Amino acid sequence: MYSFKDKYGEYLSLFEERLERFYAELKCRPQVLDESLKYSLKSGGKRVRPVLMLAAADLVGADREAVLDFALALELIHTYSLIHDDLPEMDNDDFRRGKPSNHKVFGTGNAVLAGDGLLNTAYYVLLCRCGDGVNFCEAAKFMCDCAGVKGMIAGQSADLYCAEKGIKDEKYLDYIVKNKTGKLISAAVAAPAILAGGRYFLELRQFGEDLGRLFQIVDDILDEEGSLEKLGKTSGKDREENKLTYVTFYGAEECRVLADVMCDKCLKILEGVQGDTQFLRDVVSFVRYREG
């Protein structure tokens, strides 16, 4: 009998096994680099993006083993972004997933290098699969684009710019969220579609972007109302840092309505996808009602 918890655990276990192999192969020098890379990778988290990638692979018929390397690259990119996001020059957060941020343990310079190392290693992992065929090259290209200056980095830059200038504009807000959060989640579900020859690529790409918006709406509500114990990071930072977020723009109550609307949009997209979409539907509810 299907259980969302069991299925999530199955995907998570597959990915953690791949991570363990990565740890064994890493062996960086000097030791501080090795320790700082592994510190953030091993700090927990729900591994939502790798789990989504494996679920999307099953849906479109992509090979799990091939997808695992792409899932690894995606998690390396995501973790690098969190290390840099916590730096004093960025969001200035001392905690991540309930533990001191990387720069609080290893220093700002080493944290920057750890993030750089994870990003470069992610690209190395992707490049190693490009010899397997055109679809692998296209999937790698798509992921790099989502993470780069037309994706996550652009969103982060706009986020900092709006905070510095005190900009409160809906178009800027949509741009920030679409790129900073939505692009990597879109990569998680659309890259397997590319590996499967483009099957449901457009639908899954849009699903990922909308799921990213839902994720950010809920994240903004939790930042306003959550606690360090549940969030694993300092709450109230967005308002303190003058960030342009869904809550600072719309208010928490309207954000709850927006979250429900975005939830419906995600589910509507999945109605046009043939195959067993139950797990992805459950992920939408999981994201909508998460508490940390």
Side-chain angles (χ1 to χ4, degrees), residues 50-65:
V51 166
L52 274 172
M53 188 171 276
L54 287 166
D58 282 353
L59 178 62
V60 299
D63 179 66
R64 274 188 179 185
E65 279 301 314

Side-chain angles (χ1 to χ4, degrees), residues 118-271:
L118 289 171
L119 177 60
N120 280 276
T121 304
Y123 288 159
Y124 174 79
V125 171
L126 293 174
L127 282 168
C128 285
R129 297 308 307 248
C130 285
D132 293 337
V134 174
N135 290 344
F136 287 81
C137 293
E138 290 299 319
K141 179 182 175 182
F142 179 76
M143 281 182 54
C144 292
D145 201 44
C146 287
V149 295
K150 295 181 181 178
M152 182 181 65
I153 291 175
Q156 181 69 71
S157 179
D159 184 33
L160 291 173
Y161 178 77
C162 287
E164 179 186 343
K165 301 296 183 182
I167 295 172
K168 303 296 181 185
D169 182 278
E170 189 174 22
K171 289 183 179 179
Y172 269 99
L173 176 59
D174 184 67
Y175 181 85
I176 290 168
V177 175
K178 178 180 179 180
N179 288 282
K180 183 180 177 182
T181 306
K183 285 294 180 72
L184 281 197
I185 293 180
S186 182
V189 291
I194 298 172
L195 292 173
R199 187 165 185 253
Y200 291 118
F201 169 75
L202 293 177
E203 291 87 349
L204 289 173
R205 182 180 64 179
Q206 188 61 54
F207 170 78
E209 289 187 6
D210 288 342
L211 185 63
R213 288 185 176 94
L214 174 62
F215 189 96
Q216 193 61 58
I217 293 168
V218 174
D219 202 60
D220 290 350
I221 294 171
L222 291 173
D223 181 83
E224 187 81 3
E225 302 176 352
S227 63
L228 175 62
E229 290 72 26
K230 286 189 175 182
L231 297 179
K233 60 181 180 179
T234 309
S235 60
K237 291 289 292 182
D238 290 341
R239 193 173 293 279
E240 181 183 319
E241 299 287 335
N242 197 34
K243 289 295 184 73
L244 174 58
T245 71
Y246 282 109
V247 170
T248 60
F249 189 82
Y250 292 109
E253 288 307 313
E254 188 167 348
C255 280
R256 292 186 228 282
V257 176
L258 284 172
D260 290 336
V261 170
M262 197 55 62
C263 193
D264 289 340
K265 284 188 69 176
C266 290
L267 296 175
K268 188 69 176 177
I269 291 171
L270 292 177
E271 289 178 6

